[in-house]
Amino acid sequence: MIHVYVKRPHEAAFSYEVDGQGELQELVGGEIEVVVDDSLAGISLIVNEDARGVEANNFPVTSEGYLDWVYGTCVFVKEDGRSLSDEDLQLINQFLTAKV
């Protein structure tokens, strides 16, 4: 099991444990895509790119200096596949507080 952090539009983020890629796909509602934000070193954002323009926008991200939006459910994961630490969760919460 891997500890991740889930953020849905218009809802508070929450901790969750997943048991593999299939469960990540269920959480985001389809095929997964990995997104990064320049300010979240070592953390990846798992999203469903097909949700773009269909589901509610969640929060903005800046990747390689370009602003974009995350649509639908987003799952924050550790880039190396390990569980998120308490420090990671604190960093993500600071990030979301500044964005949402």
Side-chain angles (χ1 to χ4, degrees), residues 7-61:
K7 172 70 176 83
R8 293 186 172 119
H10 313 297
E11 294 180 17
F14 60 92
S15 294
Y16 194 77
E17 289 193 355
V18 297
D19 195 22
Q21 184 173 341
E23 204 166 343
L24 285 173
Q25 284 181 299
E26 285 179 36
L27 281 171
V28 299
E31 197 67 33
I32 62 173
E33 180 177 341
V34 179
V35 177
V36 295
D37 186 274
D38 297 343
S39 65
L40 291 174
I43 298 172
S44 297
L45 293 73
I46 306 297
V47 299
N48 176 356
E49 186 61 23
D50 292 336
R52 176 176 297 284
V54 177
E55 293 191 32
N57 60 352
N58 202 338
F59 55 88
V61 292

